[in-house]
Amino acid sequence: MKLVNKVAVVTGASKGIGASIAKHLAAEGASVVVNYASSKAGADKVVAEITAQGGKAIAVQGDVSKKADIDQLFAATKEAYGKLDILVNNAGVYEFSPLEAINEEHFHKQFNLNVLGLLLTTQEAVKLIGAEGGSIINISSVVSTYTPPGSAVYSGTKAALDALTKVLSKELGARQIRVNAINPGMVETEGTSSAGITEGEFRQQVESQTPLGRIGQPQDIATAAVFLASSDSSWVTGETFFISGGLR
Ligand code: NAP
């Protein structure tokens, strides 16, 4: 097991990509804080699945676009496990809108969580990471370079995330804290299914442009997160990993 004695926080881990990452980190021996915003049942299920396999996990509620909730999340982490080694900034929202329909709410909802919340979460996390260093993994998206029409704000948040990943890798490298991004292609999750984009014309279009010919599953992303969390990637920082079946 690659993550024995490590402590990880995964934001937005009650479903989708975050839930799969939480389970994969725990399977490698990490103690995992399963953060969620509103789906207590989903988070409790992830914790139950981890503990049933002999792993360690707790569920902690907190809206990671809000500073007070972020502070509570890391206070709960410190109380439960005393330290932090791995942060996965996964919580994110995606909404599509053509230019003429963009408004302040659409902008702030996505930038407040995907960018500001991620920065404030990282700020608190590094206070709990010890002298041996750690790994921060930001879940970006292929949209930061694929840039589909109607995604100006969402793609903007993920392009910002790619840039701040590189900036923070330079700021935190001296403390042996590595900062990398994973840029998934379209992945079948509760979020994308309920948005109706994993079926029909949009899916067909994406799959026809994807060299490996299919959309992704959460575990396609989680295995990459294990690599970035573990010492297998100990000389890797400031990178953006496109895990997308080759879609750019
Ligand atoms: P999802 O199925 O919609 O799940 C979202 C998760 O984030 C849930 O656990 C949700 O918790 C949590 N969350 C939402 N708002 C939150 C907040 N303010 N504070 C804390 N947690 C919050 O999402 P997904 O499809 O797995 O996507 C996860 C990440 O991958 C996002 O950053 C997304 O941009 C990125 N991504 C996804 C795809 C894709 O195709 N799925 C592709 C590229 C990138 P509750 O259930 O409690 O609300």
Side-chain angles (χ1 to χ4, degrees), residues 8-15 18-23 26 31-37 39-51 56-62 73 77 81:
V9 168
V10 184
T11 67
S14 57
K15 53 171 88 103
S20 186
I21 291 175
K23 288 186 254 183
S31 301
V32 181
V33 176
V34 175
N35 161 253
Y36 66 99
S39 308
K40 184 176 187 313
D44 287 344
K45 186 165 170 265
V46 172
V47 170
E49 284 177 34
I50 290 172
T51 51
K56 291 189 205 117
I58 55 168
V60 179
Q61 194 278 333
L73 170 64
T77 302
Y81 299 122

Side-chain angles (χ1 to χ4, degrees), residues 138-151:
N138 296 326
I139 305 301
S140 181
S141 171
V142 74
V143 299
S144 68
T145 57
Y146 181 59
T147 57
S151 73

Side-chain angles (χ1 to χ4, degrees), residues 210-229:
T210 301
L212 293 180
R214 66 167 175 90
I215 64 168
Q217 295 299 320
Q219 60 269 25
D220 291 318
I221 309 306
T223 48
V226 169
F227 168 72
L228 288 174

